mmCIF file of all heavy atoms in Angstrom:
data_model
loop_
_atom_site.group_PDB
_atom_site.id
_atom_site.type_symbol
_atom_site.label_atom_id
_atom_site.label_comp_id
_atom_site.label_asym_id
_atom_site.label_seq_id
_atom_site.Cartn_x
_atom_site.Cartn_y
_atom_site.Cartn_z
ATOM 1 N N HIS A 291 9.859 3.951 2.986
ATOM 2 C CA HIS A 291 10.321 5.101 2.058
ATOM 3 C C HIS A 291 9.997 4.687 0.661
ATOM 4 O O HIS A 291 10.076 3.594 0.179
ATOM 5 C CB HIS A 291 11.796 5.364 2.257
ATOM 6 C CG HIS A 291 12.213 6.667 1.782
ATOM 7 N ND1 HIS A 291 12.583 6.857 0.395
ATOM 8 C CD2 HIS A 291 12.372 7.817 2.385
ATOM 9 C CE1 HIS A 291 12.880 8.143 0.236
ATOM 10 N NE2 HIS A 291 12.781 8.715 1.391
ATOM 11 N N GLU A 292 9.469 5.763 -0.110
ATOM 12 C CA GLU A 292 8.939 5.469 -1.437
ATOM 13 C C GLU A 292 10.133 4.922 -2.392
ATOM 14 O O GLU A 292 9.861 4.261 -3.348
ATOM 15 C CB GLU A 292 8.430 6.689 -2.036
ATOM 16 C CG GLU A 292 9.415 7.843 -2.282
ATOM 17 C CD GLU A 292 8.674 9.011 -2.960
ATOM 18 O OE1 GLU A 292 8.514 8.886 -4.212
ATOM 19 O OE2 GLU A 292 8.340 9.974 -2.325
ATOM 20 N N SER A 293 11.414 5.256 -1.985
ATOM 21 C CA SER A 293 12.582 4.754 -2.841
ATOM 22 C C SER A 293 12.578 3.159 -2.851
ATOM 23 O O SER A 293 12.992 2.581 -3.779
ATOM 24 C CB SER A 293 13.850 5.218 -2.235
ATOM 25 O OG SER A 293 14.083 4.843 -0.917
ATOM 26 N N LYS A 294 11.973 2.567 -1.804
ATOM 27 C CA LYS A 294 11.894 1.088 -1.776
ATOM 28 C C LYS A 294 11.080 0.527 -2.934
ATOM 29 O O LYS A 294 11.266 -0.578 -3.386
ATOM 30 C CB LYS A 294 11.254 0.629 -0.405
ATOM 31 C CG LYS A 294 11.093 -0.833 -0.182
ATOM 32 C CD LYS A 294 10.385 -1.136 1.057
ATOM 33 C CE LYS A 294 10.181 -2.647 1.369
ATOM 34 N NZ LYS A 294 11.551 -3.175 1.852
ATOM 35 N N MET A 295 10.114 1.394 -3.496
ATOM 36 C CA MET A 295 9.259 0.950 -4.557
ATOM 37 C C MET A 295 9.591 1.741 -5.802
ATOM 38 O O MET A 295 8.755 1.694 -6.822
ATOM 39 C CB MET A 295 7.852 1.180 -4.245
ATOM 40 C CG MET A 295 7.294 0.279 -3.102
ATOM 41 S SD MET A 295 7.454 -1.423 -3.573
ATOM 42 C CE MET A 295 7.116 -2.228 -1.962
ATOM 43 N N GLY A 296 10.734 2.358 -5.875
ATOM 44 C CA GLY A 296 11.098 3.157 -7.052
ATOM 45 C C GLY A 296 10.731 4.517 -7.171
ATOM 46 O O GLY A 296 10.879 5.141 -8.172
ATOM 47 N N GLY A 297 10.175 5.122 -6.108
ATOM 48 C CA GLY A 297 9.777 6.477 -6.041
ATOM 49 C C GLY A 297 11.051 7.317 -6.073
ATOM 50 O O GLY A 297 12.121 6.889 -5.438
ATOM 51 N N LYS A 298 10.996 8.587 -6.576
ATOM 52 C CA LYS A 298 12.184 9.437 -6.805
ATOM 53 C C LYS A 298 12.114 10.638 -5.783
ATOM 54 O O LYS A 298 12.975 11.468 -5.882
ATOM 55 C CB LYS A 298 12.364 9.826 -8.244
ATOM 56 C CG LYS A 298 12.543 8.681 -9.101
ATOM 57 C CD LYS A 298 12.660 9.240 -10.665
ATOM 58 C CE LYS A 298 12.972 8.041 -11.541
ATOM 59 N NZ LYS A 298 12.113 6.939 -11.535
ATOM 60 N N HIS A 299 11.103 10.666 -4.961
ATOM 61 C CA HIS A 299 11.030 11.790 -3.959
ATOM 62 C C HIS A 299 11.305 11.264 -2.643
ATOM 63 O O HIS A 299 11.511 10.048 -2.369
ATOM 64 C CB HIS A 299 9.606 12.395 -4.076
ATOM 65 C CG HIS A 299 9.303 13.016 -5.459
ATOM 66 N ND1 HIS A 299 9.862 14.172 -5.835
ATOM 67 C CD2 HIS A 299 8.504 12.504 -6.460
ATOM 68 C CE1 HIS A 299 9.390 14.418 -7.127
ATOM 69 N NE2 HIS A 299 8.645 13.416 -7.513
ATOM 70 N N ASN A 300 11.400 12.191 -1.630
ATOM 71 C CA ASN A 300 11.766 11.842 -0.290
ATOM 72 C C ASN A 300 10.642 11.820 0.685
ATOM 73 O O ASN A 300 10.501 12.516 1.683
ATOM 74 C CB ASN A 300 12.798 12.812 0.217
ATOM 75 C CG ASN A 300 13.324 12.426 1.542
ATOM 76 O OD1 ASN A 300 13.487 11.276 1.868
ATOM 77 N ND2 ASN A 300 14.014 13.391 2.311
ATOM 78 N N GLN A 301 9.589 10.928 0.390
ATOM 79 C CA GLN A 301 8.503 10.702 1.228
ATOM 80 C C GLN A 301 8.248 9.277 1.575
ATOM 81 O O GLN A 301 8.959 8.431 1.038
ATOM 82 C CB GLN A 301 7.172 11.268 0.545
ATOM 83 C CG GLN A 301 7.077 12.724 0.499
ATOM 84 C CD GLN A 301 5.694 13.211 0.173
ATOM 85 O OE1 GLN A 301 5.047 12.773 -0.759
ATOM 86 N NE2 GLN A 301 5.157 14.185 0.882
ATOM 87 N N TRP A 302 7.493 9.116 2.580
ATOM 88 C CA TRP A 302 7.209 7.706 3.074
ATOM 89 C C TRP A 302 5.685 7.482 2.841
ATOM 90 O O TRP A 302 4.877 8.417 2.782
ATOM 91 C CB TRP A 302 7.424 7.653 4.646
ATOM 92 C CG TRP A 302 8.830 7.963 4.985
ATOM 93 C CD1 TRP A 302 9.501 9.126 4.886
ATOM 94 C CD2 TRP A 302 9.698 6.946 5.495
ATOM 95 N NE1 TRP A 302 10.809 8.953 5.352
ATOM 96 C CE2 TRP A 302 11.023 7.660 5.712
ATOM 97 C CE3 TRP A 302 9.616 5.602 5.801
ATOM 98 C CZ2 TRP A 302 12.132 7.020 6.247
ATOM 99 C CZ3 TRP A 302 10.824 4.975 6.346
ATOM 100 C CH2 TRP A 302 12.035 5.675 6.586
ATOM 101 N N TYR A 303 5.319 6.216 2.653
ATOM 102 C CA TYR A 303 3.939 5.828 2.462
ATOM 103 C C TYR A 303 3.474 4.848 3.457
ATOM 104 O O TYR A 303 4.338 4.014 3.943
ATOM 105 C CB TYR A 303 3.675 5.315 1.068
ATOM 106 C CG TYR A 303 4.337 3.957 0.717
ATOM 107 C CD1 TYR A 303 3.599 2.753 0.962
ATOM 108 C CD2 TYR A 303 5.661 3.860 0.277
ATOM 109 C CE1 TYR A 303 4.227 1.489 0.726
ATOM 110 C CE2 TYR A 303 6.260 2.622 -0.006
ATOM 111 C CZ TYR A 303 5.635 1.464 0.286
ATOM 112 O OH TYR A 303 6.095 0.276 0.014
ATOM 113 N N LEU A 304 2.189 4.818 3.862
ATOM 114 C CA LEU A 304 1.659 4.009 4.878
ATOM 115 C C LEU A 304 1.265 2.722 4.387
ATOM 116 O O LEU A 304 0.600 2.574 3.342
ATOM 117 C CB LEU A 304 0.490 4.786 5.616
ATOM 118 C CG LEU A 304 -0.162 4.045 6.755
ATOM 119 C CD1 LEU A 304 0.807 4.064 7.924
ATOM 120 C CD2 LEU A 304 -1.490 4.725 7.041
ATOM 121 N N HIS A 305 1.576 1.574 5.191
ATOM 122 C CA HIS A 305 1.073 0.268 4.805
ATOM 123 C C HIS A 305 0.924 -0.509 6.068
ATOM 124 O O HIS A 305 1.898 -0.833 6.779
ATOM 125 C CB HIS A 305 2.037 -0.473 3.836
ATOM 126 C CG HIS A 305 3.465 -0.567 4.409
ATOM 127 N ND1 HIS A 305 3.878 -1.538 5.238
ATOM 128 C CD2 HIS A 305 4.510 0.171 4.224
ATOM 129 C CE1 HIS A 305 5.114 -1.410 5.506
ATOM 130 N NE2 HIS A 305 5.567 -0.402 4.938
ATOM 131 N N TYR A 306 -0.270 -0.790 6.507
ATOM 132 C CA TYR A 306 -0.553 -1.544 7.808
ATOM 133 C C TYR A 306 -0.288 -2.979 7.646
ATOM 134 O O TYR A 306 -0.303 -3.710 8.652
ATOM 135 C CB TYR A 306 -1.978 -1.201 8.299
ATOM 136 C CG TYR A 306 -2.041 0.035 9.136
ATOM 137 C CD1 TYR A 306 -2.979 1.012 8.780
ATOM 138 C CD2 TYR A 306 -1.329 0.182 10.266
ATOM 139 C CE1 TYR A 306 -3.049 2.191 9.477
ATOM 140 C CE2 TYR A 306 -1.435 1.350 11.076
ATOM 141 C CZ TYR A 306 -2.265 2.393 10.634
ATOM 142 O OH TYR A 306 -2.309 3.506 11.411
ATOM 143 N N PHE A 307 -0.063 -3.444 6.385
ATOM 144 C CA PHE A 307 0.303 -4.851 6.159
ATOM 145 C C PHE A 307 1.741 -4.864 5.510
ATOM 146 O O PHE A 307 2.586 -4.221 6.108
ATOM 147 C CB PHE A 307 -0.865 -5.508 5.407
ATOM 148 C CG PHE A 307 -2.112 -5.676 6.168
ATOM 149 C CD1 PHE A 307 -3.052 -4.621 6.245
ATOM 150 C CD2 PHE A 307 -2.350 -6.783 6.952
ATOM 151 C CE1 PHE A 307 -4.245 -4.706 6.913
ATOM 152 C CE2 PHE A 307 -3.429 -6.899 7.657
ATOM 153 C CZ PHE A 307 -4.466 -5.871 7.649
ATOM 154 N N ALA A 308 1.879 -5.540 4.436
ATOM 155 C CA ALA A 308 3.150 -5.620 3.806
ATOM 156 C C ALA A 308 3.478 -4.342 3.058
ATOM 157 O O ALA A 308 2.670 -3.559 2.678
ATOM 158 C CB ALA A 308 3.188 -6.814 2.801
ATOM 159 N N PRO A 309 4.826 -4.040 2.888
ATOM 160 C CA PRO A 309 5.248 -2.902 2.112
ATOM 161 C C PRO A 309 4.638 -2.864 0.677
ATOM 162 O O PRO A 309 4.515 -1.882 0.115
ATOM 163 C CB PRO A 309 6.741 -3.075 2.131
ATOM 164 C CG PRO A 309 7.119 -3.745 3.364
ATOM 165 C CD PRO A 309 6.009 -4.791 3.483
ATOM 166 N N GLU A 310 4.320 -4.142 0.162
ATOM 167 C CA GLU A 310 3.695 -4.223 -1.129
ATOM 168 C C GLU A 310 2.239 -3.867 -1.184
ATOM 169 O O GLU A 310 1.531 -4.055 -2.156
ATOM 170 C CB GLU A 310 3.907 -5.629 -1.661
ATOM 171 C CG GLU A 310 5.376 -6.031 -2.000
ATOM 172 C CD GLU A 310 6.102 -6.530 -0.704
ATOM 173 O OE1 GLU A 310 5.582 -6.591 0.389
ATOM 174 O OE2 GLU A 310 7.269 -6.863 -0.918
ATOM 175 N N GLN A 311 1.722 -3.510 0.034
ATOM 176 C CA GLN A 311 0.252 -3.169 0.192
ATOM 177 C C GLN A 311 0.006 -1.804 0.715
ATOM 178 O O GLN A 311 -0.410 -1.531 1.827
ATOM 179 C CB GLN A 311 -0.400 -4.190 1.118
ATOM 180 C CG GLN A 311 -0.341 -5.698 0.570
ATOM 181 C CD GLN A 311 -0.761 -6.665 1.623
ATOM 182 O OE1 GLN A 311 -0.042 -6.887 2.566
ATOM 183 N NE2 GLN A 311 -1.887 -7.184 1.398
ATOM 184 N N PRO A 312 0.233 -0.769 -0.117
ATOM 185 C CA PRO A 312 0.091 0.698 0.309
ATOM 186 C C PRO A 312 -1.406 0.930 0.688
ATOM 187 O O PRO A 312 -2.281 0.549 -0.096
ATOM 188 C CB PRO A 312 0.551 1.476 -0.877
ATOM 189 C CG PRO A 312 0.390 0.570 -2.087
ATOM 190 C CD PRO A 312 0.702 -0.830 -1.477
ATOM 191 N N ASP A 313 -1.645 1.581 1.822
ATOM 192 C CA ASP A 313 -2.961 1.848 2.243
ATOM 193 C C ASP A 313 -3.652 2.971 1.369
ATOM 194 O O ASP A 313 -2.955 3.970 1.139
ATOM 195 C CB ASP A 313 -2.896 2.341 3.676
ATOM 196 C CG ASP A 313 -2.970 1.186 4.620
ATOM 197 O OD1 ASP A 313 -2.383 0.078 4.236
ATOM 198 O OD2 ASP A 313 -3.322 1.380 5.822
ATOM 199 N N TRP A 314 -4.949 2.776 1.081
ATOM 200 C CA TRP A 314 -5.775 3.749 0.538
ATOM 201 C C TRP A 314 -5.964 4.937 1.478
ATOM 202 O O TRP A 314 -6.058 4.758 2.716
ATOM 203 C CB TRP A 314 -7.093 3.236 0.007
ATOM 204 C CG TRP A 314 -7.031 2.254 -1.136
ATOM 205 C CD1 TRP A 314 -7.219 0.903 -1.023
ATOM 206 C CD2 TRP A 314 -6.721 2.552 -2.492
ATOM 207 N NE1 TRP A 314 -7.169 0.337 -2.264
ATOM 208 C CE2 TRP A 314 -6.809 1.391 -3.201
ATOM 209 C CE3 TRP A 314 -6.389 3.660 -3.197
ATOM 210 C CZ2 TRP A 314 -6.578 1.336 -4.515
ATOM 211 C CZ3 TRP A 314 -6.170 3.628 -4.523
ATOM 212 C CH2 TRP A 314 -6.239 2.411 -5.234
ATOM 213 N N ASN A 315 -6.242 6.107 0.942
ATOM 214 C CA ASN A 315 -6.677 7.279 1.769
ATOM 215 C C ASN A 315 -8.139 7.350 1.665
ATOM 216 O O ASN A 315 -8.686 7.915 0.618
ATOM 217 C CB ASN A 315 -5.882 8.532 1.268
ATOM 218 C CG ASN A 315 -6.404 9.745 1.989
ATOM 219 O OD1 ASN A 315 -7.105 9.689 3.012
ATOM 220 N ND2 ASN A 315 -6.052 10.977 1.388
ATOM 221 N N TRP A 316 -8.836 6.921 2.675
ATOM 222 C CA TRP A 316 -10.312 6.976 2.716
ATOM 223 C C TRP A 316 -10.916 8.237 2.992
ATOM 224 O O TRP A 316 -12.110 8.430 3.071
ATOM 225 C CB TRP A 316 -10.838 5.833 3.525
ATOM 226 C CG TRP A 316 -10.856 4.466 2.703
ATOM 227 C CD1 TRP A 316 -9.905 3.564 2.649
ATOM 228 C CD2 TRP A 316 -11.874 3.982 1.925
ATOM 229 N NE1 TRP A 316 -10.312 2.571 1.865
ATOM 230 C CE2 TRP A 316 -11.576 2.826 1.342
ATOM 231 C CE3 TRP A 316 -13.225 4.612 1.534
ATOM 232 C CZ2 TRP A 316 -12.293 2.091 0.507
ATOM 233 C CZ3 TRP A 316 -13.980 3.787 0.664
ATOM 234 C CH2 TRP A 316 -13.535 2.657 0.096
ATOM 235 N N ASP A 317 -10.040 9.241 3.112
ATOM 236 C CA ASP A 317 -10.565 10.672 3.252
ATOM 237 C C ASP A 317 -10.695 11.331 1.864
ATOM 238 O O ASP A 317 -11.137 12.412 1.715
ATOM 239 C CB ASP A 317 -9.619 11.478 4.136
ATOM 240 C CG ASP A 317 -9.735 11.241 5.629
ATOM 241 O OD1 ASP A 317 -10.870 10.776 5.976
ATOM 242 O OD2 ASP A 317 -8.767 11.324 6.249
ATOM 243 N N ASN A 318 -10.240 10.521 0.812
ATOM 244 C CA ASN A 318 -10.154 10.946 -0.563
ATOM 245 C C ASN A 318 -11.449 10.531 -1.334
ATOM 246 O O ASN A 318 -11.719 9.290 -1.352
ATOM 247 C CB ASN A 318 -8.937 10.525 -1.216
ATOM 248 C CG ASN A 318 -8.679 10.974 -2.588
ATOM 249 O OD1 ASN A 318 -9.724 11.071 -3.410
ATOM 250 N ND2 ASN A 318 -7.523 11.470 -2.855
ATOM 251 N N GLN A 319 -12.280 11.508 -1.736
ATOM 252 C CA GLN A 319 -13.550 11.113 -2.395
ATOM 253 C C GLN A 319 -13.370 10.310 -3.641
ATOM 254 O O GLN A 319 -14.160 9.470 -4.007
ATOM 255 C CB GLN A 319 -14.301 12.387 -2.753
ATOM 256 C CG GLN A 319 -15.730 12.166 -3.250
ATOM 257 C CD GLN A 319 -16.519 11.439 -2.322
ATOM 258 O OE1 GLN A 319 -16.618 11.824 -1.060
ATOM 259 N NE2 GLN A 319 -17.416 10.439 -2.588
ATOM 260 N N GLU A 320 -12.208 10.495 -4.351
ATOM 261 C CA GLU A 320 -11.872 9.697 -5.510
ATOM 262 C C GLU A 320 -11.743 8.307 -5.222
ATOM 263 O O GLU A 320 -12.201 7.400 -6.032
ATOM 264 C CB GLU A 320 -10.657 10.274 -6.185
ATOM 265 C CG GLU A 320 -10.437 9.693 -7.600
ATOM 266 C CD GLU A 320 -9.211 10.326 -8.294
ATOM 267 O OE1 GLU A 320 -8.440 11.136 -7.639
ATOM 268 O OE2 GLU A 320 -9.015 10.004 -9.432
ATOM 269 N N VAL A 321 -11.137 7.966 -4.052
ATOM 270 C CA VAL A 321 -10.960 6.527 -3.626
ATOM 271 C C VAL A 321 -12.411 5.964 -3.347
ATOM 272 O O VAL A 321 -12.643 4.833 -3.833
ATOM 273 C CB VAL A 321 -10.113 6.469 -2.347
ATOM 274 C CG1 VAL A 321 -10.083 5.050 -1.913
ATOM 275 C CG2 VAL A 321 -8.664 6.870 -2.786
ATOM 276 N N ILE A 322 -13.104 6.745 -2.665
ATOM 277 C CA ILE A 322 -14.536 6.231 -2.289
ATOM 278 C C ILE A 322 -15.295 5.963 -3.530
ATOM 279 O O ILE A 322 -15.978 4.859 -3.741
ATOM 280 C CB ILE A 322 -15.287 7.206 -1.461
ATOM 281 C CG1 ILE A 322 -14.548 7.417 -0.087
ATOM 282 C CG2 ILE A 322 -16.742 6.908 -1.272
ATOM 283 C CD1 ILE A 322 -15.057 8.515 0.741
ATOM 284 N N ASP A 323 -15.261 6.899 -4.532
ATOM 285 C CA ASP A 323 -16.121 6.771 -5.726
ATOM 286 C C ASP A 323 -15.604 5.584 -6.621
ATOM 287 O O ASP A 323 -16.372 4.854 -7.205
ATOM 288 C CB ASP A 323 -16.006 8.010 -6.593
ATOM 289 C CG ASP A 323 -16.724 9.230 -6.021
ATOM 290 O OD1 ASP A 323 -17.573 8.917 -5.087
ATOM 291 O OD2 ASP A 323 -16.403 10.381 -6.406
ATOM 292 N N ASN A 324 -14.245 5.340 -6.593
ATOM 293 C CA ASN A 324 -13.700 4.257 -7.333
ATOM 294 C C ASN A 324 -14.110 2.923 -6.691
ATOM 295 O O ASN A 324 -14.447 1.941 -7.461
ATOM 296 C CB ASN A 324 -12.166 4.389 -7.320
ATOM 297 C CG ASN A 324 -11.491 3.319 -8.361
ATOM 298 O OD1 ASN A 324 -11.875 3.303 -9.553
ATOM 299 N ND2 ASN A 324 -10.621 2.519 -7.927
#
């Protein structure tokens, strides 16, 4: 849950490794370009 990292909304984020390692969204062109 994002609150674990200080987020103020009610969503969850994906991390296939540690919670301190949020996964990139590789369907996002901005991530690819970066």
Side-chain angles (χ1 to χ4, degrees):
H291 196 273
E292 65 175 283
S293 60
K294 182 182 180 76
M295 294 298 166
K298 296 179 175 57
H299 298 285
N300 190 23
Q301 286 195 312
W302 298 70
Y303 68 91
L304 183 69
H305 56 85
Y306 274 121
F307 291 87
E310 295 86 356
Q311 295 170 290
D313 279 27
W314 292 111
N315 175 14
W316 276 90
D317 287 329
N318 186 313
Q319 189 62 46
E320 190 176 8
V321 170
I322 295 170
D323 291 343
N324 191 54

